[in-house]
């Protein structure tokens, strides 16, 4: 399984970004797919997850501003719409996949992308 993220960049506080992750593999529809955030000098933290059923879960810090979604039919992709960005959202965002269960920890995922960098200036 190969995961490739895109969509990061430099934005100002209050702006929006949409991250994308495309996945190879014909069992994508059964995967649990998640986004993790790693701020500079800190550990990787859970942001949001979406299951094949469409069920989602969010970190408390993300639930009011971020939306995770997936496109199984056309693009084997997941997305993270990030609104009202804050400087503390700065860091690398990683797409991760597992065999279809809801996990909020990095250890729960077997597949990882290389990350996309987001910088939010104040």
């Amino acid at each position: 399984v190969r995961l490739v993220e895109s969509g990061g960049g430099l934005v100002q506080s209050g702006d929006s970004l949409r991250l994308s992750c495309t996945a190879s593999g014909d069992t994508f529809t059964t995967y649990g797919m998640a986004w993790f955030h790693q701020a500079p000098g800190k550990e990787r933290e859970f942001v949001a997850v979406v299951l094949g059923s469409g069920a989602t879960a969010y970190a408390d810090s993300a639930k009011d501003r971020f939306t995770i979604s997936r496109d199984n039919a056309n693009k084997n992709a997941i997305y993270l719409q990030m609104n009202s960005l804050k400087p503390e959202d700065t860091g690398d965002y990683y797409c991760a996949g597992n065999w279809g269960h809801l996990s909020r920890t990095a250890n729960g995922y077997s597949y990882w992308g290389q990350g996309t960098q987001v910088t939010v200036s104040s």
Side-chain angles (χ1 to χ4, degrees):
V1 176
R2 183 167 179 256
L3 305 177
V4 179
E5 303 95 335
S6 62
L10 172 62
V11 297
Q12 294 185 334
S13 183
D15 285 350
S16 298
L17 273 178
R18 187 191 194 213
L19 306 183
S20 301
C21 171
T22 56
S24 62
D26 60 4
T27 56
F28 174 79
T29 54
T30 64
Y31 292 166
M33 299 295 297
W35 288 99
F36 282 78
H37 170 228
Q38 187 164 19
K42 296 189 177 181
E43 294 186 353
R44 202 168 293 188
E45 296 182 338
F46 169 78
V47 175
V49 60
V50 58
L51 302 183
S53 63
T56 59
Y58 293 89
D60 288 342
S61 60
K63 62 177 60 176
D64 294 329
R65 299 184 295 124
F66 295 178
T67 303
I68 190 170
S69 60
R70 70 189 296 159
D71 183 347
N72 291 336
N74 298 318
K75 297 183 179 179
N76 272 10
I78 67 165
Y79 307 97
L80 185 68
Q81 178 66 43
M82 304 189 296
N83 299 326
S84 302
L85 283 162
K86 305 175 183 179
E88 50 263 45
D89 296 321
T90 292
D92 294 320
Y93 284 77
Y94 295 90
C95 175
N98 63 26
W99 288 102
H101 56 275
L102 196 155
S103 175
R104 295 172 179 262
T105 65
N107 288 340
Y109 294 86
S110 301
Y111 308 107
W112 291 88
Q114 294 300 306
T116 186
Q117 189 172 52
V118 172
T119 302
V120 184
S121 63
S122 57

